[in-house]
Amino acid sequence: KQKTAYEIRLSLVGSEMCIRDRYQRRVRAFPSLCCWKMTKGTSSFGKRHNKTHVLCLRCGRRAFHIQKSKCGACGYPSAKRRKFNWSVKAIRRKTTGTGRRRYIKTLARRFKNGFREGVQPKKKGTTAAAKK
């Protein structure tokens, strides 16, 4: 047989009664403490375990929003890159010469040689010796 609330109250030992009374006094004094409060702060941060952003194909940053299908850093998949003049420092970070410069690195040398392709360059030493 299960005890009723009245029987449980009678069977409480001294220390348990103190705990019960202390809780009841606190509830009467501060009604907001009687139930769990839904906060926007610390307790909510433990529930964040889903990814909203993944790596972008164009800029490589973790700024591509999955649901929007748009990168917050470069604006991919739109043709124009995302750039605003109100953020001069951001433009400075992303401008030409801040990365590996895979294409521009060889551009000056190729320009000097007239953008030749598939042709062996003329030997410098042999042409001078052949003229003499």
Side-chain angles (χ1 to χ4, degrees):
K1 179 188 165 204
Q2 194 172 2
K3 287 185 176 180
T4 62
Y6 178 74
E7 291 172 333
I8 292 171
R9 190 171 60 90
L10 293 176
S11 65
L12 289 176
V13 191
S15 61
E16 293 170 335
M17 289 176 76
C18 291
I19 293 168
R20 182 203 63 194
D21 294 341
R22 184 172 59 200
Y23 176 74
Q24 287 178 350
R25 264 187 265 129
R26 189 179 299 154
V27 169
R28 272 189 238 113
F30 307 102
S32 61
L33 293 177
C34 68
C35 55
W36 292 106
K37 188 178 176 188
M38 296 298 288
T39 62
K40 296 177 183 175
T42 311
S43 59
S44 302
F45 283 89
K47 295 175 174 62
R48 301 192 308 176
H49 50 74
N50 294 327
K51 285 185 184 174
T52 54
H53 294 87
V54 292
L55 294 178
C56 175
L57 292 172
R58 181 157 66 186
C59 66
R61 290 177 61 182
R62 189 169 171 256
F64 188 81
H65 197 281
I66 300 168
Q67 286 184 330
K68 293 180 185 176
S69 297
K70 188 161 189 142
C71 179
C74 70
Y76 179 82
S78 63
K80 289 185 179 179
R81 283 187 83 100
R82 179 180 174 274
K83 180 179 85 84
F84 296 102
N85 289 330
W86 48 257
S87 181
V88 179
K89 193 183 279 188
I91 294 171
R92 201 184 316 141
R93 284 191 208 109
K94 295 190 252 186
T95 192
T96 310
T98 56
R100 288 170 57 186
R101 299 178 60 219
R102 287 172 289 188
Y103 176 75
I104 299 175
K105 209 186 305 186
T106 60
L107 193 62
R109 174 176 48 83
R110 288 170 51 236
F111 172 74
K112 182 181 74 177
N113 295 318
F115 295 101
R116 65 179 176 218
E117 289 183 0
V119 181
Q120 287 288 334
K122 295 171 188 164
K123 303 257 175 155
K124 292 180 181 176
T126 56
T127 54
K131 286 182 181 179
K132 290 182 182 178

